[in-house]
Amino acid sequence: MSPDPRRDESEFLANYDPRDYDPVAVTVDVVALTIRDGALHVLLVRRGAAPYEGMWALPGGFVQAGGPLQGTGAEDLPDAAVRELAEETGLSAKGGVLGRVHLEQLGTYGSPGRDPRMRVISVAHLAFAPELPDPEAGGDAADAAWVPVDALGLAESGDQRPGTTRRLAFDHARILSDGLERARGKLEYTPLATAFCGGEFTIPELRSVYEAVWGEELHAGNFHRKVLSVPGFVESTGATSDRGGRRGGPRPRLYRAGDARLLHPALLRPSREEEIR
Amino acid sequence: MSPDPRRDESEFLANYDPRDYDPVAVTVDVVALTIRDGALHVLLVRRGAAPYEGMWALPGGFVQAGGPLQGTGAEDLPDAAVRELAEETGLSAKGGVLGRVHLEQLGTYGSPGRDPRMRVISVAHLAFAPELPDPEAGGDAADAAWVPVDALGLAESGDQRPGTTRRLAFDHARILSDGLERARGKLEYTPLATAFCGGEFTIPELRSVYEAVWGEELHAGNFHRKVLSVPGFVESTGATSDRGGRRGGPRPRLYRAGDARLLHPALLRPSREEEIR
DNA sequence: TTAAGTTACCCTCATATCGAGATGAACTCA
DNA sequence: TGAGTTCATCTCGATATGAGGGTAACTTAA
């Protein structure tokens, strides 16, 4: 449903007054993930003003609603997410490095009191990015950086005990936790792990993505067999990496992402057994 | 992030003026699904006013923001969804029949122009309900009914061609389509099919839920073996149904939902093969 | 009462997938 | 040069799945 259905459109616009409605602000926040040095990192910005001044937070900001006529300036939610990413980190938007990221909606967080100033509904997004340059603070951010997820002391997936996740502003620890759990699941049944790699990658590199996101080591032989057996996951480039592994070994072959949208059968993570109940 | 971080809280409240912001309305819509006569049904209401007057739409409405101080009246998003369900259908809220429904957030729809009157951000929810009585129209709804999903002529999952889904107001056909796909997926790896059944059910009844939601027949013997072999999916009550099947057969045993939150291994739907690319 | 048809529940069997381990060759580093 | 590491592939047993069969319990129609 929608605003007062007892008025039709023209009547509505003639009588429109924002004060008729409880004021609500809509923002987008982004959980942007990447792999650096074999570890999962999340993009954070340091808040430049109260509340939570000086604390780290997810990048995000207002959705440009475009006024009652929804003319120039109105933007869709994914566009707002990309714009905020670009503004607060200095990374160039579409066409640049941000053109290669996977972006999807994560969920919407709107509990009363989640922002002490007013009612704020935040539409959180999840982004998977290949290795990107260090961000430069911009917009409302006093600082911006890729932060190792392990360094945040987040509660484990599904574990929402209070007190264990206090280091991010607002409810962003919860949003990040949900984003991580979504990412872990997405790697199981979609080929999105390739979004963390560049255009070409090796099977061991792809495996390191899974190991970083899932936080556990995988059987190299079985992973190799599995990736190559799932239709459309990766396709060979015919080329070989110009160097072997850092500590020895033969030169791995190069692959690029295939055309599958779902992995069948899925790559199930071993630790799933513990989460069943 | 949040509204203008250059002001702290007290300063913000002293200077607060709704006109400082582009007006945005936040609503909740609900895709409520149930099984009736072996067919999947969705709860729809008929709009009583323009725009889309007389058309069917998903039940939903405004989120009570609670004003700038977020005092009494501010409600969380799931609470708003339950309230709208109750208001527009006459079904009693928590404690009544609605107390037994599963409710989860589906996604947020905020494209400019999705509501011709103003910028409306809708947080869609998905509800799984056991068989409920016929709704009574209330609130802004001129009518309310459980409608067979097959009768809506929706596009198949993933198929978003324009022109095939024109019979619901706003972008509700798209929201319903997304909700159906979510429901189909959830039945694979969660025990939520039991949410469509009452407190006690038989394996054939549970199978009919899967068949109704997935839209395909399942192998009765393999389904039976599978359900009983997945730990925590169902547990026996020891009792037996008081009648056999409608067209004969022995009396099936009764079960209730187990304590598992995830099904392992999952029940994969056969048709999944076609959706991979 | 009888016969025919339907269904729950259990079973078998071939195939597919998975976890764990082993092997050999290629490569790095000391 | 030698030791250690890693890629790529293979084997083997355990498990899961799809397809089909069989028996007994039950309904409906004759």
Side-chain angles (χ1 to χ4, degrees):
Chain A
M1 295 291 292
S2 288
D4 197 343
R6 281 170 291 266
R7 304 171 180 175
D8 70 5
E9 181 171 359
S10 57
E11 188 182 356
F12 178 89
L13 293 176
N15 297 337
Y16 176 79
D17 183 346
R19 292 176 192 270
D20 286 353
Y21 302 93
D22 290 340
V24 180
V26 177
T27 64
V28 289
D29 291 318
V30 183
V31 178
L33 302 176
T34 196
I35 311 283
R36 288 194 150 201
D37 304 321
L40 186 63
H41 286 59
V42 61
L43 183 63
L44 296 180
V45 299
R46 193 188 291 273
R47 290 183 55 79
Y52 300 104
E53 181 172 355
M55 289 189 72
W56 291 96
L58 299 173
F62 273 116
V63 174
Q64 293 178 0
L69 292 175
Q70 300 179 57
T72 316
E75 61 184 350
D76 207 346
L77 297 175
D79 296 334
V82 172
R83 176 181 55 76
E84 288 292 341
L85 263 185
E87 281 182 12
E88 300 201 32
T89 65
L91 302 174
S92 56
K94 282 179 181 173
V97 287
L98 288 186
R100 299 192 309 173
V101 308
H102 164 83
L103 186 74
E104 65 179 53
Q105 192 181 108
L106 173 61
T108 298
Y109 298 79
S111 300
R114 62 179 292 278
D115 188 306
R117 294 164 297 182
M118 66 178 292
R119 188 70 190 269
V120 176
I121 308 288
S122 175
V123 184
H125 289 72
L126 181 63
F128 296 163
E131 189 150 344
L132 296 181
D134 276 316
E136 296 178 14
D140 296 332
D143 196 2
W146 291 104
V147 177
V149 169
D150 289 342
L152 292 172
L154 284 183
E156 274 305 302
S157 57
D159 184 358
Q160 296 298 337
R161 287 171 300 188
T164 55
T165 59
R166 287 246 175 99
R167 304 171 69 161
L168 294 183
F170 305 105
D171 52 359
H172 287 187
R174 171 62 185 270
I175 296 175
L176 173 56
S177 180
D178 291 348
L180 293 175
E181 185 52 34
R182 170 81 70 91
R184 284 188 278 259
K186 278 270 173 174
L187 258 54
E188 289 189 304
Y189 59 94
T190 73
L192 284 178
T194 60
F196 286 108
C197 303
E200 297 190 346
F201 51 86
T202 67
I203 302 291
E205 283 171 357
L206 189 63
R207 177 164 48 88
S208 79
V209 169
Y210 276 88
E211 292 175 334
V213 175
W214 286 351
E216 55 193 321
E217 294 193 347
L218 299 177
H219 186 291
N222 290 342
F223 183 86
H224 195 274
R225 172 185 63 184
K226 179 77 178 165
V227 168
L228 293 184
S229 72
V230 173
F233 192 1
V234 299
E235 57 187 35
S236 175
T237 68
T240 301
S241 177
D242 55 351
R243 272 189 64 82
R246 291 171 196 186
R247 297 189 293 183
R251 296 174 185 170
R253 299 172 196 163
L254 287 172
Y255 298 84
R256 55 177 158 262
D259 56 0
R261 307 233 153 204
L262 290 171
L263 302 184
H264 184 79
L267 284 89
L268 299 178
R269 45 185 154 149
S271 63
R272 202 57 176 283
E273 312 259 354
E274 307 152 15
E275 305 173 28
I276 292 174
R277 313 212 171 188
Chain B
M1 294 291 290
S2 289
D4 195 343
R6 280 170 291 266
R7 302 173 182 174
D8 70 4
E9 181 172 359
S10 56
E11 186 182 356
F12 177 89
L13 293 176
N15 298 336
Y16 176 80
D17 184 342
R19 293 176 192 270
D20 287 352
Y21 301 93
D22 290 339
V24 179
V26 177
T27 64
V28 290
D29 291 318
V30 183
V31 177
L33 302 177
T34 196
I35 311 282
R36 289 193 148 203
D37 303 323
L40 186 63
H41 287 60
V42 60
L43 183 63
L44 296 180
V45 298
R46 193 189 292 273
R47 290 182 55 77
Y52 300 104
E53 181 172 355
M55 289 190 71
W56 291 96
L58 298 173
F62 272 115
V63 174
Q64 293 178 359
L69 291 176
Q70 301 180 57
T72 316
E75 61 184 350
D76 208 345
L77 297 175
D79 297 333
V82 172
R83 177 181 54 76
E84 289 292 342
L85 262 185
E87 282 182 10
E88 300 202 30
T89 64
L91 302 175
S92 56
K94 284 178 182 173
V97 287
L98 288 186
R100 300 190 309 173
V101 308
H102 164 83
L103 186 75
E104 66 181 51
Q105 193 182 108
L106 173 61
T108 298
Y109 299 78
S111 300
R114 63 179 291 277
D115 189 306
R117 294 164 295 183
M118 67 179 292
R119 188 72 189 267
V120 177
I121 308 288
S122 175
V123 184
H125 288 71
L126 181 63
F128 295 163
E131 188 150 346
L132 296 181
D134 276 316
E136 296 177 14
D140 297 333
D143 196 2
W146 292 104
V147 177
V149 169
D150 288 343
L152 292 172
L154 284 183
E156 274 305 303
S157 57
D159 183 358
Q160 296 299 336
R161 289 170 302 186
T164 57
T165 59
R166 287 244 176 98
R167 304 171 69 164
L168 295 183
F170 304 106
D171 53 359
H172 288 187
R174 172 61 185 269
I175 296 175
L176 172 57
S177 180
D178 291 348
L180 293 175
E181 185 51 35
R182 170 83 68 92
R184 285 189 277 259
K186 279 270 174 176
L187 258 54
E188 289 189 304
Y189 59 94
T190 73
L192 284 178
T194 60
F196 286 108
C197 303
E200 297 190 345
F201 50 87
T202 68
I203 302 292
E205 283 171 358
L206 188 64
R207 177 164 49 87
S208 78
V209 170
Y210 277 88
E211 291 175 335
V213 175
W214 286 352
E216 54 194 320
E217 293 192 348
L218 299 177
H219 186 293
N222 290 342
F223 183 85
H224 194 275
R225 172 185 63 186
K226 178 77 177 167
V227 167
L228 294 185
S229 72
V230 173
F233 192 1
V234 299
E235 58 187 32
S236 174
T237 67
T240 301
S241 177
D242 55 349
R243 269 190 66 81
R246 291 169 198 186
R247 297 189 295 182
R251 297 175 185 170
R253 298 173 196 163
L254 287 172
Y255 298 84
R256 55 177 158 261
D259 55 0
R261 309 235 151 203
L262 290 171
L263 301 183
H264 184 80
L267 285 90
L268 299 178
R269 48 188 151 146
S271 65
R272 202 59 177 283
E273 311 259 353
E274 308 153 13
E275 305 174 27
I276 293 174
R277 314 214 171 188

